[in-house]
Amino acid sequence: MKILGIETSCDETAASVVKDGYGVLSNVIGSSEKLHEETKGIVPEIAARDSALKIAPILQKAVLDARVSWEEIDAIAVTNGPGLLGSLLVGIEAAKTLALLYKKPLIPVFHIAGHLFSNILERKELPHFPVISLTVSGGHNDLYVWERLSEIQKLGSTIDDAAGEAFDKGARMLGLPYPGGPHLSRIAEGGDAQKIHFPRPMKQSGDFNFSFSGLKTALFYEIRNRGGLHEISDSEKADLAASYQEAIVEILLQKLFSAADAYSAKEVHLAGGVSANKRLRERFLEEAQKRNLLTRIPEKMSYSTDNAAMIAAAGYVMWENASKETRKTFTIQNLEVNLSHEFRM
Ligand code: KG4
Ligand code: ZN
């Protein structure tokens, strides 16, 4: 079965054709990162306008790259939330038009379910369940348990900022360009992660929720106590970045591995934009090895950040597990934006 995935929930505009839920035939992504570098953050109207400009050629390229005809596509899967309203509507309206034109089923996909399925892409073998998956990006920061491919439960999420947001805001305080996460992690490589003590909010809270806003405040005071950014040397900046990053990584992994213990997981996964972070990957692999747990991180960087292949993969599992009656509900009439962060599949 070939599914065309469409993803426009934030600042990326993406389309992809995926075969049988894991075989990526094409994966086209257009980003508005350059535009948002100038505005030093995402401006919803700019992101939506950029998606509206890009969506048609990106769809055309996704189908061309996959070497399939429009008629050969069996279904369309589109992100219907959560995300920026204007951006989501661009993808949804494009998907509805195509579904109407080519008479295809239209599957609504929850964006974060897509991130979970990024670890299914290009893997012929299914994971060993139960799986604990940590999906971390600029907009979301959640922990999930997978009992089977179609049985997923949210265990916890952030009560304030997401880890990606903490990276981006910390980077901005350190005078680094947008998006700050990769820049902060680059300068952290030359720093001492033990030099400055940052708090580990909610580390011992006994649940699977996260909090990062206190960490951001702590960085603000560290900079202010040194007389401001202009008084801080490059090597001290590197120490601040490394210590700040270490605190984020430690909080994320402490929750991930305590969930793995609690649910007797066989496998642990990282997903979302922050899974590109080198230190997080390193520490994740070390801790998993100590516990004899299997691991997955998306096969390619382009599967970590927002993409449409993961949306098609999630859509495939929804289709495969749907009854005849449910399949009949996958229509243009039933598909609408849903901004709720409650897990749905
Ligand atoms: O999943 P994603 O592309 O978009 C959202 O849905 O938010 O994630 C983007 C986030 C940004 O906050 C970005 O700074 C962060 O992922 N990120 C990183 C790294 N690469 C991307 N954070 C830390 N280290 C990185 N290497
Ligand atoms: Zn995302």
Side-chain angles (χ1 to χ4, degrees):
M1 182 178 191
K2 294 186 189 78
I3 296 191
L4 170 70
I6 302 176
E7 156 64 42
T8 61
S9 67
C10 192
D11 58 337
E12 264 94 19
T13 307
S16 161
V17 180
V18 174
K19 188 166 179 249
D20 297 337
Y22 72 93
V24 182
L25 303 183
S26 64
N27 187 29
V28 188
I29 305 170
S31 171
S32 57
E33 198 175 294
K34 284 270 165 303
L35 291 172
H36 288 109
E37 256 171 40
E38 284 166 31
T39 53
K40 297 190 169 61
I42 291 171
V43 179
E45 281 79 5
I46 294 181
R49 194 180 168 164
D50 191 59
S51 274
L53 278 173
K54 286 178 178 158
I55 188 80
I58 282 179
L59 282 161
Q60 190 179 36
K61 183 163 166 42
V63 170
L64 274 175
D65 285 0
R67 297 175 186 276
V68 292
S69 66
W70 287 100
E71 286 73 21
E72 282 172 296
I73 302 281
D74 298 295
I76 297 169
V78 62
T79 304
N80 74 329
L84 304 172
L85 180 64
S87 299
L88 283 164
L89 286 172
V90 172
I92 288 174
E93 290 312 312
K96 282 188 178 183
T97 308
L98 291 169
L100 179 68
L101 189 62
Y102 294 106
K103 299 185 178 58
K104 304 293 176 186
L106 186 53
I107 309 164
V109 177
F110 180 57
H111 176 75
I112 304 159
H115 277 296
L116 291 167
F117 280 86
S118 63
N119 276 311
I120 302 299
L121 296 172
E122 290 192 24
R123 319 261 192 157
K124 231 179 171 147
E125 262 188 47
L126 285 181
H128 296 74
F129 298 106
V131 171
I132 299 291
S133 180
L134 175 70
T135 65
V136 230
S137 76
H140 44 82
N141 192 118
D142 303 314
L143 202 53
Y144 290 92
V145 57
W146 269 8
E147 298 290 353
R148 320 183 273 127
L149 213 46
S150 60
E151 198 182 317
I152 302 173
Q153 189 201 330
K154 182 147 121 181
L155 298 177
S157 66
T158 180
I159 60 163
D160 41 54
D161 294 345
E165 209 175 340
F167 268 111
D168 294 341
K169 288 179 178 167
R172 190 197 278 212
M173 282 189 241
L174 290 168
L176 301 168
Y178 174 88
H183 293 285
L184 189 146
S185 99
R186 206 192 50 249
I187 69 162
E189 280 182 42
D192 177 355
Q194 308 307 325
K195 195 73 175 264
I196 297 133
H197 178 75
F198 281 101
R200 270 60 170 160
M202 294 187 63
K203 199 178 157 191
Q204 305 300 343
S205 64
D207 58 19
F208 299 119
N209 291 323
F210 304 81
S211 164
F212 293 99
S213 66
L215 203 55
K216 207 175 58 192
T217 313
L219 178 62
F220 173 80
Y221 285 116
E222 290 292 343
I223 295 172
R224 204 180 68 173
N225 292 345
R226 285 167 174 77
L229 201 56
H230 51 281
E231 295 293 330
I232 302 178
S233 68
D234 282 350
S235 92
E236 214 173 357
K237 245 185 233 173
D239 291 341
L240 280 166
S243 304
Y244 183 76
Q245 170 175 266
E246 199 67 10
I248 297 177
V249 167
E250 198 181 308
I251 298 165
L252 290 173
L253 295 183
Q254 196 272 336
K255 299 282 174 169
L256 169 62
F257 287 102
S258 49
D261 292 342
Y263 287 84
S264 307
K266 293 204 176 69
E267 209 164 297
V268 283
H269 294 180
L270 282 184
V274 179
S275 69
N277 183 271
K278 208 170 143 191
R279 182 67 184 149
L280 178 63
R281 286 178 174 230
E282 243 169 46
R283 295 280 303 113
F284 167 76
L285 295 174
E286 271 170 24
E287 290 299 321
Q289 202 172 25
K290 272 192 215 159
R291 293 170 167 81
N292 263 328
L293 291 167
L294 295 163
T295 56
R296 284 193 188 190
I297 299 172
E299 282 280 322
K300 291 183 182 157
M301 215 57 108
S302 60
Y303 301 158
S304 287
T305 49
D306 286 351
N307 67 87
M310 67 185 194
I311 301 301
Y316 174 79
V317 170
M318 286 173 70
W319 179 262
E320 285 295 294
N321 285 283
S323 63
K324 260 192 182 158
E325 285 314 302
T326 306
R327 284 183 182 177
K328 281 189 201 149
T329 67
F330 292 144
T331 62
I332 53 169
Q333 286 79 9
N334 287 331
L335 193 132
E336 54 184 353
V337 177
N338 183 344
L339 297 179
S340 154
H341 280 251
E342 279 313 302
F343 189 84
R344 54 183 188 272
M345 237 187 88

